[in-house]
Amino acid sequence: MAALQRIKGTNDILPDHLGSGIFRLGLWHRLEETALRVAALSGYHEIRTPIFESTELFVRGLGDVTDVVKKEMFSFTDRGERQLTLRPEGTASIVRAWIENGIGNSDSVARLAYLGPMFRAERPQKGRYRQFHQFGIECIGGAEVRHDIEVIAVFWNIIRTLGVHAVSLKINSVGCPTCIPRYREVLRAHFEPSLKDLCGDCSERHKTNVLRMLDCKNPACQDILSSAPPLTDYLCEECAAAWAGLRHGLDLLQIPWQHDTRLVRGLDYYTKTAFEIVHEAIGAQGTIVGGGRYDGLVAASGGPAVPAVGGAFGVERMLLAMQAEDPTLPLRERPRFFLVQIGDEVDDDIERLLFELRLHGIHALRADGSRQLGKQMRAAAKLASREVVFVGGQEWNSGTLLIKDMDSGEQESIVVGSYGVLACLLKRAGIER
Ligand code: HAM
């Protein structure tokens, strides 16, 4: 019978010694731990929400003419005839949870972080999947520009802590309901005469969501689209002040930024600040982080009129960036000792020793299968074990411990004496009894 396979655009994340590339759990754990720890330095703490929600939540929140809602949601009807959707992003759910659980009110700032799988029916390619993972933070109630800067700074800090450097921060302001209608009219009028030279998507967006025209990636449209007047020339007084404050705050922290006049983001809830962090070396799907301010979403979701700002990065893309910069990324934890068996009669000794080492919190392994010396040594090397301990053979029988350092290749003999093998190994691993 043919074996069943995973669905295109999804991935198995394997234990380190089985996987390759970015789909190794050790790397994921390191990234997740780093992101949560760095976010906590600024007061962001984890929240977990369900993986599916009512379809209505995303239609209302993200905008019914966005690509995500129109074409990319995994939606289904359950047995009770409810319309449900696998979450395509985190923000709408976090806002719902904030309202539903009474996490805050209009006088407080809630700082929330989240991690987990998201689902979008996009065309799969490197860095773009149908089940992918995001780490995000949301600052709900954060009304000031310093909150926008705080959010960007958290992502900047995470990226730096993970050893990623070849990135650029792109910023823009997408205005607010006071100034954006006027700019929409300006854009419509600007593109009207060129519609015949633009792609079908552009013509469609000209009618439904003219701002999104600026986001078109079709090479044939680029010249015309770049001629658009920048949105930041049409901001109302409040948005213009926020835009100036954003640039000032980033300069103060010496976070380099570029003004991308065509950055409008793919979701409709954004107001004022929009930002993306792009990696230069991971190809077409180079946007690692995306986010911005969404002052209208809480009220549009049935909550009070509370402003908010946040962002999220794609875990897979961040891992691609980490690997692009350091292809020899170390695995999460190397076995401290690998016990190599010499002779059948030491089988019980090995089992007891492994058990006792692990009781003391030491990562210690042995080979499965063949007892051939060469095969055991290869298994030790494959797991990147730090030291091999030879159990059995002449030295062992005469009370000497033979240990090989797998990095330097040097061998050392230690007289066990009355001390005992376990105590010798514990001492070596820095544990005194
Ligand atoms: P987004 O730009 O749609 O924003 O997604 C954020 C990040 O998720 C992207 O920059 C990318 O790294 C990753 N991503 C998105 N789609 C895929 C995919 N199909 N495969 C792999 N990675 C992907 C949001 O989702 C907003 N909720 C961010 C936000 C939070 N804004 C305010 N708060």
Side-chain angles (χ1 to χ4, degrees), residues 9 62 68 72 88-92 114 118-139 151 155 265-267 269-270 275-277 282 285-294 297 308-318:
L62 317 190
V68 172
E72 295 168 2
E89 59 104 57
T91 311
Y114 55 95
M118 308 286 162
F119 305 84
R120 293 184 195 175
E122 295 193 79
R123 199 165 43 78
Q125 65 178 85
K126 180 182 167 198
R128 188 165 70 195
Y129 310 101
R130 294 189 159 183
Q131 173 171 340
F132 60 100
H133 298 74
Q134 277 187 352
F135 172 87
I137 58 171
E138 310 294 349
C139 178
V151 166
F155 287 109
R265 311 273 305 126
L267 309 166
Y269 48 60
Y270 292 106
F275 72 92
E276 288 186 352
I277 300 178
I282 58 172
Q285 304 303 319
T287 305
I288 326 180
V289 192
R293 177 163 282 284
Y294 50 96
L297 182 61
V309 54
F313 69 75
V315 171
E316 290 85 350
R317 290 189 196 175
M318 188 68 87

Side-chain angles (χ1 to χ4, degrees), residues 52 55 75-85:
F52 61 91
T55 301
S75 298
F76 58 98
T77 310
D78 77 356
R79 288 160 200 256
E81 297 297 312
R82 284 170 286 254
Q83 296 297 313
L84 304 175
T85 292

